[in-house]
Amino acid sequence: MSAILIDGKKIAEEIRAELTRKIATLAGRGVVPGLAVILVGDNPASVSYVTGKEKACAEIGIQSFETRFPEDVSEARLLDKIAECNRDPSVHGILIQLPLPGHIDERRVIGAIDPAKDVDGFTPINLGRMLLEEPCYVPCTPLGIIEMLTRSDVPLNGANAVVVGRSNIVGKPLANLLIRKSINATVTVCHTGTKDLASKVKAADIVIACAGRPGLVSADMIKPGACVIDVGVNRVPDATKKKGYRLCGDVDFDAIEKIAGWITPVPGGVGPMTITMLLSNTIDAALRISSGK
Ligand code: NAP
């Protein structure tokens, strides 16, 4: 048996094609959606993520406004920039590329974003609204994973889902979305304090690995026919590559592909969906703001 490959790139393209209709509605109102992108320092992974997001924005017709700050920028300067973006009518979404340097209080900086422009869905207001199932911006990676699962017809109602990782941006919001009545999965969340991870994963119909640990999920942990979503993006040294590394996820793709029912690749799985949900949230923000809602 060989798993159905959930092609994140292809699903992302379908969604982007759907989004062009919303862009046309905005054009009818004379509005070009705008995303402010704030980058601190020159961490290669962050620079590459920001470049990818800006390229996707340009392709679909979202204007991006990038501000780069040096690694030693003060928190006050960052807060000033956010206040400026909150006021700017051409900015509908604000993205702060994480992580921020240690001297900056990440929570205070994120909390300063106007929730109406918080297209990453990281502010306490949006996370609270998500929990209450009120209209809000949902974090892009969990939102993209739900889109992937539903568009691939993976059975979710009553499924046992195991989420490996409990970060505020991936694991926690994802677990929360999966237990919504409209999705109806039964969720177990694992972390570094979990005893016997293997037995928890083995019981799952859906495994979502978001730990950032290459090789954490091996084939012997997977129930035959399960759906395996690999969120991890890890740089593993590889002398045969020009860059000196290769990207891999948290699961042993080659072995698991032979027994799972569905699987996502890395790269080309969750990554393109995350970017597409950022585009979607930014376009929705422009629609809401321009309609005065
Ligand atoms: P994070 O903040 O470092 O959180 C990792 C989580 O995994 C933590 O809750 C941690 O547990 C848990 N964990 C780590 N090692 C574990 C182990 N051995 N057993 C069980 N649980 C373990 O990471 P993140 O920001 O959520 O990102 C996770 C991964 O997804 C990274 O590789 C990141 O690059 C990737 N990512 C990809 C996308 C995409 O679009 N493809 C988007 C976001 C993130 P504790 O809480 O106990 O420490």
Side-chain angles (χ1 to χ4, degrees):
M1 196 178 92
S2 149
I4 295 169
L5 188 79
I6 302 183
D7 185 343
K9 233 173 132 189
K10 191 161 156 262
I11 301 172
E13 273 165 21
E14 283 166 22
I15 298 174
R16 289 182 201 193
E18 293 162 19
L19 290 176
T20 56
R21 280 199 292 274
K22 292 186 177 179
I23 294 268
T25 304
L26 284 166
R29 293 181 194 167
V31 174
V32 177
L35 178 69
V37 179
I38 299 172
L39 175 62
V40 179
D42 53 8
N43 174 295
S46 294
V47 172
S48 136
Y49 288 139
V50 160
T51 308
K53 289 169 187 174
E54 289 173 341
K55 186 166 166 271
C57 280
E59 280 168 6
I60 202 161
I62 296 174
Q63 235 182 322
S64 55
F65 309 100
E66 183 186 298
T67 308
R68 280 197 193 202
F69 289 108
E71 186 80 17
D72 62 356
V73 66
S74 69
E75 192 176 295
R77 180 73 194 89
L78 263 186
L79 291 170
D80 279 349
K81 182 67 203 173
I82 292 166
E84 184 191 315
C85 295
N86 286 343
R87 286 190 304 267
D88 186 342
S90 60
V91 169
H92 305 101
I94 301 171
L95 177 147
I96 300 168
Q97 186 61 44
L98 301 178
L100 293 173
H103 67 282
I104 291 183
D105 183 340
E106 212 163 86
R107 286 191 185 204
R108 188 176 304 149
V109 169
I110 289 170
I113 298 173
D114 178 349
K117 297 188 176 185
D118 170 29
V119 289
D120 258 336
F122 292 166
T123 59
I125 297 276
N126 273 309
L127 287 168
R129 286 180 184 156
M130 182 189 72
L131 195 76
L132 298 170
E133 302 192 31
E134 291 175 4
C136 65
Y137 296 108
V138 172
C140 301
T141 302
L143 186 60
I145 292 168
I146 298 293
E147 282 287 337
M148 280 178 121
L149 291 169
T150 51
R151 286 176 186 250
S152 305
D153 295 323
V154 175
L156 299 172
N157 191 353
N160 290 324
V162 169
V163 178
V164 187
R166 60 174 162 189
S167 71
N168 291 335
I169 63 171
V170 188
K172 278 185 206 163
L174 180 60
N176 186 262
L177 294 175
L178 287 165
I179 56 163
R180 284 186 175 188
K181 209 151 198 166
S182 56
I183 293 178
N184 235 11
T186 300
V187 181
T188 303
V189 181
C190 300
H191 43 75
T192 55
T194 298
K195 286 182 193 149
D196 195 4
L197 178 70
S199 74
K200 306 275 186 305
V201 174
K202 189 89 190 179
D205 304 307
I206 300 168
V207 180
I208 301 168
C210 44
R213 297 284 179 275
L216 180 64
V217 178
S218 53
D220 57 328
M221 293 172 154
I222 299 297
K223 178 160 86 176
C227 172
V228 181
I229 305 288
D230 194 351
V231 186
V233 179
N234 307 296
R235 289 184 174 198
V236 178
D238 185 341
T240 68
K241 302 283 177 201
K242 223 165 97 184
K243 289 179 176 169
Y245 67 86
R246 67 186 156 82
L247 290 183
C248 75
D250 289 355
V251 317
D252 179 354
F253 182 92
D254 291 341
I256 292 177
E257 188 260 339
K258 296 185 179 71
I259 51 172
W262 295 262
I263 192 165
T264 61
V266 176
V270 175
M273 293 298 294
T274 297
I275 296 184
T276 302
M277 293 303 112
L278 173 70
L279 304 178
S280 176
N281 282 350
T282 304
I283 292 167
D284 283 347
L287 282 167
R288 279 185 200 151
I289 292 169
S290 64
S291 69
K293 280 185 196 160

